[in-house]
Structures are given as C-alpha cells and as structure tokens.
Amino acid sequence: MTAPDDPRFEWIDVSDLGGPVTWMRGACRHRRPVEFRSVVDDELLAHLCLDCDEQLDVTPKPVLSPIGEP
C-alpha cells in the first residue's frame, strides 16, 4: 500500500514488521501560505498556512511550490 494521496503533508510508514501497512500524517509542507497584512499601513506581518493553521515568519518568504511536487 502506498502513502495517502495528500501532498500537503509528509506521510510516515509506521507499520510493524509483518503487520498491516499503516500511515501516520507527518509535518505540513505549507504549500498554501497566505499573507497577513496590517490594515493601518499594509505592512506584511506574517504568513498563515491554511492547511495546518501555523503562523509562519515573514522572512524568509515561504516557498510556493505547485501541488503534487515534493
């Protein structure tokens, strides 16, 4: 059995030797971050990952890779 077909996350094989194939969702790849800007002066405050709700730093800017690429 292959990993689940969800490119947003890393998938970890946690099968026991000889047991059924089991996958655990790993770290988010932050593929769709959005910018959070100040309403006062339009300053970029942070990036927010829509998949895992994690706030990402302003610098360095997250790499936006197409869905389906690691």
Side-chain angles (χ1 to χ4, degrees), residues 31-54:
R31 293 190 180 255
R32 302 183 307 155
V34 294
E35 296 180 343
F36 255 37
R37 295 190 167 272
S38 168
V39 293
V40 176
D41 59 2
D42 200 37
E43 177 186 1
L44 180 59
L45 302 174
H47 289 95
L48 177 69
C49 178
L50 296 179
D51 295 323
C52 69
D53 291 330
E54 182 177 340

Side-chain angles (χ1 to χ4, degrees), residues 33 44 46-47 56-63:
L44 180 59
H47 289 95
L56 309 169
D57 292 335
V58 174
T59 54
K61 184 175 180 181
V63 175

Side-chain angles (χ1 to χ4, degrees), residues 13-35:
D13 184 0
V14 293
S15 305
D16 293 328
L17 295 175
V21 177
T22 306
W23 294 93
M24 180 177 78
R25 187 175 80 182
C28 181
R29 293 183 175 157
H30 308 306
R31 293 190 180 255
R32 302 183 307 155
V34 294
E35 296 180 343

Side-chain angles (χ1 to χ4, degrees), residues 1-11 23 25 29 31 67-69:
M1 180 177 185
T2 61
D5 189 23
D6 188 345
R8 298 175 301 167
F9 302 98
E10 295 176 10
W11 293 95
W23 294 93
R25 187 175 80 182
R29 293 183 175 157
R31 293 190 180 255
I67 298 294
E69 289 183 13

